Amino acid sequence: MKRGALALLLALGTQLAWALPTHAPVPGGVAVVDLGPASTPRPQAAWDDRRLAVVSDGGRWFALLGIPLDALPVPLEIRVRAGSTVRSIEVPVGTRHYPEQRLTIREKRKVEPAPEDLARIEREQAHTAELKRRFSAAEPDPDFARPADGRLSSRFGLRRFFNGLPRNPHNGLDFAAPTGAPVRAPAAGTVIDTGNYFFNGNSVFIDHGQGLISIYMHLSRIDVGNGQRVARGERIGAVGATGRSTGPHLHWTVLLNDVAVDPEFFLKTR
């Protein structure tokens, strides 16, 4: 390739469009909101007190709004700032039905933690809550690849019962795969945390930019370290059954603006 052509491609690189997630303005979904032509400077968008990811696609700016699972079917209002101008956009929210799932956990302590476990769980929840609120400047690539092979054994949003007791809805996708099967980054990002958690077992957190964060749980092995930059498709660990698990699988959570959303909306083939 000639030097001039290469320079042109590099100059255009910051303007190349990422593939957008599926527009699904429902509880647990993603609203893709058109903010106007990308010929203008990147606007800022926020919902409530949370900044939103703003990405370019097809010559336009789009805000990505993660909608909480418990959202009611009423519009959400986002604020958009472009220079000195501030405007509001209403995002209609529809409905979505999530079925129930009933599981049996052999280790009763993972369903009804002992008193000595509660302090650990509280510390871990405070730590991960801070990670989930992170907002970095890099423009994310929301065109995700599957992080593991295998069938989907549990989908997002299932209303879950462990040993007959109601628990929080399923906030990710489960891939059924054997212990040791590779787990790979679905897109480029930076590892912001690794560790062993009471419920989630061995886990990896990846920041993809602007509040788009992915988490990989129940790993048998972790192959990356904090602060490490990872590329799309790079191995980050291996499938396992650590933490609260009924067997070997990968649990994959995707967060937008500190909200867990259905990862399938980020995959080309749902």
Side-chain angles (χ1 to χ4, degrees):
M1 179 181 292
K2 293 183 179 181
R3 183 175 299 177
L6 176 59
L8 178 60
L9 284 177
L10 292 176
L12 292 173
T14 57
Q15 301 176 23
L16 295 178
W18 303 117
L20 295 172
T22 300
H23 175 60
V26 296
V30 180
V32 180
V33 184
D34 189 340
L35 301 183
S39 57
T40 61
R42 183 195 306 271
Q44 292 186 356
W47 166 63
D48 197 11
D49 60 348
R50 311 179 195 192
R51 286 189 63 181
L52 305 182
V54 175
V55 299
S56 59
D57 187 271
R60 300 189 70 80
W61 294 119
F62 292 91
L64 306 181
L65 169 64
I67 301 174
L69 257 175
D70 60 358
L72 298 175
V74 296
L76 298 178
E77 182 178 87
I78 68 172
R79 299 182 311 281
V80 181
R81 177 182 294 276
S84 60
T85 303
V86 178
R87 61 190 172 107
S88 296
I89 299 176
E90 279 198 347
V91 180
V93 176
T95 59
R96 188 183 186 190
H97 173 71
Y98 293 98
E100 291 184 359
Q101 183 182 48
R102 296 179 180 270
L103 299 171
T104 300
I105 305 296
R106 294 180 181 178
E107 188 178 354
K108 184 178 179 182
R109 188 172 173 180
K110 294 296 184 181
V111 180
E112 301 177 75
E116 57 268 30
D117 299 323
L118 297 179
R120 174 187 174 185
I121 293 169
E122 186 175 346
R123 289 194 305 271
E124 292 177 352
Q125 289 176 338
H127 175 64
T128 57
E130 185 176 351
L131 293 171
K132 294 172 182 178
R133 289 192 296 267
R134 178 184 172 104
F135 189 96
S136 57
E139 182 171 354
D141 175 4
D143 181 15
F144 280 1
R146 286 169 61 104
D149 294 328
R151 67 179 177 86
L152 295 180
S153 54
S154 289
R155 280 187 152 83
F156 177 88
L158 295 171
R159 293 174 292 162
R160 308 189 91 179
F161 295 80
F162 291 113
N163 299 352
L165 300 175
R167 291 295 182 261
N168 291 332
H170 193 224
N171 68 352
L173 285 182
D174 285 354
F175 294 82
T179 297
V183 175
R184 305 184 185 280
T190 300
V191 177
I192 57 172
D193 190 70
T194 63
N196 180 270
Y197 291 87
F198 183 82
F199 288 125
N200 302 338
N202 293 330
S203 302
V204 172
F205 290 66
I206 297 179
D207 177 9
H208 301 281
Q210 296 191 38
L212 179 56
I213 294 169
S214 58
I215 313 172
Y216 310 81
M217 305 177 190
H218 309 305
L219 304 176
S220 61
R221 190 180 68 251
I222 295 173
D223 295 331
V224 291
N226 290 355
Q228 181 177 335
R229 185 71 182 172
V230 294
R232 178 189 179 96
E234 184 173 343
R235 182 166 179 155
I236 60 174
V239 171
T242 54
R244 182 168 67 185
S245 174
T246 57
H249 71 284
L250 169 68
H251 175 99
W252 180 35
T253 287
V254 172
L255 302 167
L256 257 182
N257 48 263
D258 193 19
V259 169
V261 296
D262 189 343
E264 288 195 71
F265 293 130
F266 289 82
L267 298 175
K268 279 291 183 292
T269 303
R270 295 185 53 215

